[in-house]
Amino acid sequence: MKPLRQILGAASGSDKIIALSEGDDPRVAEAALMIRKEKVARVLLVGDPQKIADNLANYGTTLEEVTDDIEIHDPNSSPLIDEFRDTLVTLRAHKGMTPEIASAQVRHRLTYAALLVQTGRAHGTVGGAAETTSDTVRTALQIIGKAPDAAMVSSFFFMLYCKEHHTVKGAHIFADCGLVVDPDANEMAEIARASAASYRALTGETPRVAMLSFSTAGSADHPKVSKVVAATHLAKVADPDLIIDGELQFDAAFVPEVAASKAEKSALGGAANVFVFPSLNAGNLGYKIAQRVGGATAIGPVLQGLAKPANDLSRGCSAEDILHMVAVTVAQSDALDQTQKAPEGAA
């Protein structure tokens, strides 16, 4: 778990505030205490204060004991409701949002948490322990919105290999496995570039991007293969320094011996660490097979391309999963800070 420990270590002592939209879920309360112990972030729990207090009591803790690190916001009685109503009307007026509708919507936990981020009261938000991915992502898109310099919003899974049977140890990114259903060549190229940036931000290492297909180096002729070839070219044109190759089958991107026979001219040499799938169908199946059959730890889906971090959880997540996602969210916020501080024209 070295890559994950690096992320947790980097976040240790962070002053970032992360809003957890399902604060009254028992797993979230347990995670909040873990986050507090690890000093990964300052936590803002959105939910019923009494339910949160009851959940914390199950771990021998009272609200009074954690007030320095854990803040509670009840969307039904928050003094921010009127401000958030007006903000939501401003953000969504073009979609017919009225004060009456907004007054009701800001009391929804996902909406409230996203507005905490939009108004600068939190640096990021994590949800999805109980809410669906579609609701979690849609709320983030509508309220936090796309980053000005991002062509699109996509997602990835941070895949960790730490078991004894794993021949390759460390971290990979699989994208897009949770959001973009059928990317065209331009979109696939953007997913590749965004995923490379995410890999660098999370690991500090150089990304090596494989554009995946059922064909390697022209072994098959099909429009779906041509899309991957075009996407690889577009990504190279947009970022000539990016180490990227495609189209490649997974084994040619992952196993050096296979790369030597199937793709001997590939710059990756069978050592890719970012894998871009040609469709959500392939990506979602791929990460679940790696997780359930291969024993990889999968953190995600992590969203990329938003103005500020907002991430989704699996509804089957554990408290430890939530801790990990909060650490990733802090890393994204730190990377965003660095980007905003960079001088004009700098990469």
Side-chain angles (χ1 to χ4, degrees):
M1 286 296 195
K2 183 179 178 182
L4 187 55
R5 293 310 311 176
Q6 286 176 333
I7 293 172
L8 289 169
S12 180
S14 170
D15 62 351
K16 293 296 170 66
I17 301 171
I18 306 299
L20 302 181
S21 56
E22 296 143 326
D24 46 23
D25 186 294
R27 294 166 295 173
V28 175
E30 182 183 0
L33 294 176
M34 296 169 70
I35 293 162
R36 178 174 180 260
K37 182 179 179 180
E38 293 266 5
K39 300 186 184 300
V40 167
R42 293 158 59 197
V43 174
L44 200 161
L45 298 179
V46 177
D48 182 326
Q50 187 56 57
K51 289 182 180 178
I52 294 171
D54 292 343
N55 289 332
L56 291 174
N58 290 331
Y59 299 98
T61 304
T62 66
L63 287 177
E64 291 72 21
E65 291 176 295
V66 298
T67 51
D68 289 344
D69 305 296
I70 300 175
E71 187 177 343
I72 313 298
H73 278 234
D74 183 354
N76 291 310
S77 60
S78 171
L80 300 173
I81 286 296
D82 288 346
E83 177 189 338
F84 281 6
R85 176 202 61 207
D86 295 342
T87 300
L88 187 57
V89 170
T90 300
L91 289 170
R92 304 291 295 164
H94 65 292
K95 293 292 185 179
M97 182 64 67
T98 66
E100 293 74 23
I101 297 173
S103 290
Q105 287 196 5
V106 296
R107 288 172 169 81
H108 189 279
R109 53 191 178 185
L110 288 176
T111 303
Y112 187 94
L115 283 163
L116 285 168
V117 178
Q118 169 61 232
T119 59
R121 291 178 170 86
H123 297 93
T125 181
V126 173
E131 301 283 354
T132 65
T133 291
S134 59
D135 286 342
T136 304
V137 173
R138 180 173 59 250
T139 302
L141 286 169
Q142 291 178 348
I143 295 174
I144 298 173
K146 185 172 67 66
D149 59 345
M152 62 187 296
V153 175
S154 59
S155 75
F156 66 88
F157 276 82
F158 196 48
M159 307 295 292
L160 305 176
Y161 308 93
C162 55
K163 304 284 179 62
E164 186 176 347
H165 70 271
H166 288 141
T167 56
V168 175
K169 302 288 197 296
H172 289 161
I173 274 180
F174 282 16
D176 183 334
C177 305
L179 187 57
V180 184
V181 175
D182 188 19
D184 61 24
N186 282 292
E187 290 170 330
M188 193 175 173
E190 290 300 330
I191 291 169
R193 295 179 64 216
S195 298
S198 292
Y199 185 84
R200 190 185 297 277
L202 291 175
T203 69
E205 298 177 3
T206 300
R208 299 168 60 84
V209 184
M211 305 293 271
L212 299 179
S213 173
F214 60 82
S215 169
T216 294
S219 65
D221 183 12
H222 191 278
K224 291 188 180 297
V225 175
S226 300
K227 178 184 82 168
V228 179
V229 174
T232 304
H233 173 72
L234 289 167
K236 285 181 178 178
V237 169
D239 185 357
D241 294 328
L242 182 63
I243 302 173
I244 185 171
D245 194 22
E247 87 285 12
L248 292 170
Q249 291 165 291
F250 188 88
D251 55 356
F254 185 74
V255 182
E257 294 79 9
V258 176
S261 62
K262 285 188 174 183
E264 61 180 354
K265 295 181 180 179
S266 174
L268 300 176
N273 48 35
V274 176
F275 298 86
V276 180
F277 291 81
S279 71
L280 184 61
N281 215 7
N284 195 267
L285 290 167
Y287 103 79
K288 287 184 183 294
I289 292 169
Q291 178 188 35
R292 301 301 181 183
V293 179
T297 298
I299 301 174
V302 183
L303 301 182
Q304 52 191 5
L306 289 168
K308 296 179 182 179
N311 287 314
D312 185 29
L313 295 162
S314 164
R315 280 174 284 174
C317 67
S318 65
E320 190 174 39
D321 293 332
I322 298 169
L323 164 67
H324 297 161
M325 185 63 89
V326 168
V328 167
T329 305
V330 169
Q332 287 181 302
S333 181
D334 288 341
L336 184 63
D337 289 347
Q338 292 301 315
T339 300
Q340 292 172 343
K341 290 177 183 176
E344 186 176 350

